[in-house]
Amino acid sequence: MGKRVAVVLAGCGVYDGSEIHESSAVLVHLSREGAQAEVYAPDVDQMHVVDHVKGQPTQEKRNVLVESARIARGNIKDLAKLDVKGLDALIIPGGFGVAKNLSTWATQGKNCIISKEVEDVLKAFHAAKKPIGLCCISPVLAAKIFPGCELTVGHDTECEKWPYAKMAETMKELGCKHVNKHVTEIHVDVKNKLVTTSAFMCNAPIHEIYDGIGKMVKEVVRLA
């Protein structure tokens, strides 16, 4: 039997949910590694809904589980039902939904609160010494929950290629060790079994983002 890997989503769409290309890349690479993905999302309202053409919030209301089901092709479970015992690893793709629906990072930065369901799941995998893969913005969840852990969100010097580099500085302020890595590279925190890669934190061609996520997935499955 292949490894069973929980994939936690935060909606559908980069500006208010999970980043669709990252989520798809995770699922494709898990399939390639012979692992079985089990997709979960919290049954809560989104912080807000963003019109992805205009980049502006709308008055609409949407549910995180219902929206995430689009990516999972309907094969999804409520995060509240996740049982770490039957699973070998956890992966959380990026997208602003991580900072809006799984936590309050978007509005409160390093003083944010992580959703209790999400925090409980991360702590359960960590306590069971099961690997956790995080990409793009989702390493902020580990930065907040596991002080002193090692992570990458790419580079810590802002430029056209790394527009979100200030995130690395904020992680350092939380007491984490940030390791600069290229978009096609990963960082492995051996002690905490955390595998991270920058994905769309980098202004890079989509195939490089896909390849970096592939390395993250491969290492998570290897550690499981």
Side-chain angles (χ1 to χ4, degrees):
M1 271 292 286
K3 302 293 183 186
R4 294 176 66 198
V5 180
V7 178
V8 174
L9 300 182
C12 180
V14 58
Y15 299 129
D16 59 12
S18 287
E19 213 295 323
I20 295 168
H21 299 290
E22 291 180 20
S23 305
S24 175
V26 165
L27 297 173
V28 170
H29 286 296
L30 282 172
S31 174
R32 182 164 281 152
E33 293 301 316
Q36 181 185 334
E38 299 199 10
V39 186
Y40 295 85
D43 186 6
V44 296
D45 284 341
Q46 293 183 185
M47 181 187 113
H48 62 187
V49 175
V50 175
D51 178 329
H52 278 55
V53 175
K54 296 175 181 168
Q56 298 295 323
T58 70
Q59 295 304 307
E60 208 179 332
K61 289 205 179 309
R62 295 194 187 185
N63 175 281
V64 175
L65 178 60
V66 172
E67 289 301 295
S68 299
R70 293 171 179 272
I71 296 172
R73 296 171 59 86
N75 188 10
I76 194 166
K77 296 174 194 160
D78 184 345
L79 185 60
K81 297 187 170 128
L82 187 151
D83 181 4
V84 71
K85 288 192 200 74
L87 296 160
D88 300 298
L90 168 68
I91 294 178
I92 306 180
F96 281 103
V98 171
K100 293 177 177 179
N101 306 327
L102 306 188
S103 73
T104 59
W105 185 279
T107 53
Q108 294 178 288
K110 67 179 180 181
N111 300 315
C112 73
I113 295 159
I114 310 290
S115 137
K116 186 175 186 312
E117 273 182 5
V118 175
E119 183 167 351
D120 288 350
V121 163
L122 279 158
K123 284 181 171 174
F125 276 92
H126 187 259
K129 295 189 164 33
K130 293 180 177 180
I132 298 168
L134 304 163
C135 63
C136 192
I137 199 171
S138 67
V140 302
L141 302 173
K144 189 71 181 171
I145 298 170
F146 308 124
C149 67
E150 298 176 8
L151 303 161
T152 189
V153 286
H155 282 223
D156 57 7
T157 306
E158 202 165 299
C159 61
E160 191 181 349
K161 187 167 186 177
W162 298 99
Y164 308 107
K166 284 193 175 75
M167 182 80 71
E169 291 305 319
T170 311
M171 289 177 157
K172 291 177 194 173
E173 288 167 21
L174 283 167
C176 299
K177 181 183 178 187
H178 181 268
V179 183
N180 282 349
K181 293 282 182 180
H182 184 59
V183 66
T184 56
E185 296 177 317
I186 61 172
H187 181 70
V188 183
D189 178 340
V190 177
K191 181 183 160 199
N192 289 298
K193 280 200 169 180
L194 292 173
V195 186
T196 50
T197 191
S198 60
F200 277 105
M201 297 299 272
C202 184
N203 194 5
I206 194 166
H207 69 277
E208 291 187 3
I209 286 150
Y210 181 88
D211 291 348
I213 289 171
K215 286 181 187 167
M216 176 194 75
V217 168
K218 194 178 186 74
E219 185 62 15
V220 166
V221 172
R222 190 187 72 77
L223 290 170

